[in-house]
Amino acid sequence: MTTDAPTAPAPTLAPTPAPSDPSERTRVPLSVLDLSTVSDDATSRDALLATTELARAADRLGYDRFWVAEHHNMPAVASTSPAVLIAHLAASTDRIRVGSGGVMLPNHPPLVVGEQFAMLEALHPGRIDLGIGRAPGTDPATAAALRRTTDGLGAEDFPRELLDVLGLLGQQHEEDTGRPPSPFVRRFSATPAQGSTPQVWLLGSSTFSARLAAALGIRFAYAHHFGATQTMEAMAAYRAEFRPSAQLAAPHAMISASVILADSDDEARYLAGPSKVMSLSLRTGRLAPITDPATAAEVLAGVEGGPLEAVLAQLPGTQVATTTEQAVTELQGLVDRTRADELLVTATTHDIATRIDTLERLRTAWV
């Protein structure tokens, strides 16, 4: 089994030609990622209640999945414990799948992750997604405090721990991996009497995770909204190297994008200003809650002509900040280029109303 990125370059992924007649197009399913961002005039409770409101809107509008992220020790993000938040969101919605985008495995022993998501699946069978990431989602000191040891924090440990999680959930098979279950998996169980199992995704922003997901025969979600630069290479590697498993017969990939929609390009870019400021604060180490669009515009104007202007020009901010019609064209282009099976959208805004409005506009037009 391949557990690290080979030195050979990833294959090139040729885009699927778009139908000449738009009416013949089949849109891929839409899903939502939310970080429970904390605005400068809000509390953590406000942020979590806003995420709940957004999840209910996504459920009502017909989105397929609602994922929450894991970040720690950050003044702008209240989503520190995906499993806890997923339990609340699943109980607050009716039919949408709810999951992690993702659980950062280096922060947690595999048994903890397995037990948490086996319990979530038992409570909400057929509605739970376990998206797993390789990065800690925080600084090294916080990651060590979470884990209470530096063991298991290296990239070399990740494939083994991922296999342990899969094994605990009954998703590791010797015929798929070429190796028998580890002594750890033979010794421990995530739940006493499993009825169903969560849907597992491997998340990534490089070819490492793409190739690992392909080798294990599991679903793959590429974090394109990070502004990552290996989108085409990772998606191509996943499809080219995919090995069917008992869980998945063919490759199944999701692509993410950050999106804010409005009546005009200027309004959308104005509403996206806080996301640009958040990216700048992360890059410069000046972490702060999410500012309002007017203040963000002042901050960005102050950067122009200064030493941070070049830094600002390289930051992702919001990738698609435009009108609904133009956004659909851009997002469909991304899906066509990457051959993604699903599309995951996310937005960093100062207020929940902007995020809900974006979901409503996109879902109405994505037909």
Side-chain angles (χ1 to χ4, degrees):
M1 179 185 68
T2 302
T3 58
D4 205 345
T7 56
T12 301
L13 187 65
T16 302
S20 56
D21 182 356
S23 66
E24 298 177 358
R25 189 188 303 279
T26 300
R27 302 287 190 193
V28 300
L30 285 174
S31 295
V32 180
L33 169 66
D34 194 63
L35 274 64
S36 297
T37 47
V38 182
S39 299
D40 54 9
D41 59 353
T43 66
S44 295
R45 174 176 169 78
D46 294 329
L48 295 169
L49 290 178
T51 291
T52 306
E53 186 178 353
L54 190 68
R56 287 172 175 155
D59 193 26
R60 169 177 54 83
L61 291 166
Y63 282 78
D64 273 38
R65 308 174 193 274
F66 191 93
W67 284 4
V68 295
E70 176 186 346
H71 292 283
H72 300 277
N73 203 28
M74 295 179 65
V77 181
S79 181
T80 56
S81 179
V84 174
L85 187 50
I86 289 167
H88 169 70
L89 295 176
S92 301
T93 52
D94 295 323
R95 50 134 216 108
I96 196 169
R97 295 189 68 94
V98 185
S100 56
V103 165
M104 301 294 103
L105 187 54
N107 296 338
H108 313 284
L111 182 57
V112 170
V113 176
E115 286 185 332
Q116 287 177 344
F117 278 80
M119 180 179 287
L120 287 168
E121 177 67 20
L123 288 168
H124 306 281
R127 292 185 59 205
I128 301 300
D129 295 336
L130 170 55
I132 296 176
R134 182 165 65 99
T138 188
D139 60 272
T142 306
L146 287 164
R147 189 83 180 231
R148 297 195 296 176
T149 175
T150 57
D151 294 340
L153 295 179
E156 66 278 3
D157 300 300
F158 181 78
R160 172 181 54 80
E161 296 208 330
L162 175 59
L163 280 171
D164 284 343
V165 172
L166 292 172
L168 289 167
L169 295 173
Q171 297 186 27
Q172 179 189 350
H173 302 278
E174 185 172 354
E175 59 271 24
D176 296 335
T177 64
R179 63 178 64 177
S182 68
F184 175 86
V185 170
R186 292 196 296 269
R187 171 67 178 82
F188 297 102
S189 173
T191 189
Q194 186 178 42
S196 60
T197 185
Q199 195 175 95
V200 177
W201 294 71
L202 185 56
L203 317 183
S205 56
S206 70
T207 58
F208 177 97
S209 293
R211 287 185 156 115
L212 182 56
L216 297 178
I218 60 178
R219 292 167 175 82
F220 175 62
Y222 185 80
H224 180 71
H225 70 284
F226 283 177
T229 59
Q230 298 186 46
T231 302
M232 300 302 290
E233 294 88 346
M235 296 290 274
Y238 173 68
R239 292 197 175 279
E241 300 177 22
F242 182 84
R243 294 172 53 186
S245 68
Q247 301 300 319
L248 195 62
H252 190 96
M254 180 188 290
I255 193 78
S256 68
S258 51
V259 181
I260 293 177
L261 306 184
D263 289 336
S264 68
D265 288 347
D266 287 344
E267 183 184 1
R269 285 192 290 266
Y270 175 74
L271 293 172
S275 70
K276 199 78 169 178
V277 172
M278 182 183 183
S279 294
L280 183 64
S281 71
L282 288 171
R283 182 65 62 89
T284 58
R286 302 170 184 172
L287 303 182
I290 308 299
T291 190
D292 64 90
T295 302
E298 294 177 2
V299 172
L300 296 174
V303 171
E304 294 178 3
L308 292 177
E309 184 174 28
V311 175
L312 183 65
Q314 301 300 316
L315 296 177
T318 300
Q319 295 161 316
V320 180
T322 184
T323 62
T324 303
E325 182 179 4
Q326 180 60 29
V328 168
T329 299
E330 292 183 27
L331 292 171
Q332 186 60 56
L334 175 64
V335 169
D336 289 342
R337 290 193 304 275
T338 59
R339 297 184 183 177
D341 301 288
E342 301 188 34
L343 175 62
L344 182 74
V345 296
T346 186
T348 297
T349 67
H350 184 259
D351 62 284
I352 184 61
T354 299
R355 300 211 292 278
I356 292 177
D357 183 60
T358 289
L359 292 193
E360 290 175 340
R361 290 171 182 262
L362 180 59
R363 188 67 188 91
T364 299
W366 194 258
V367 294

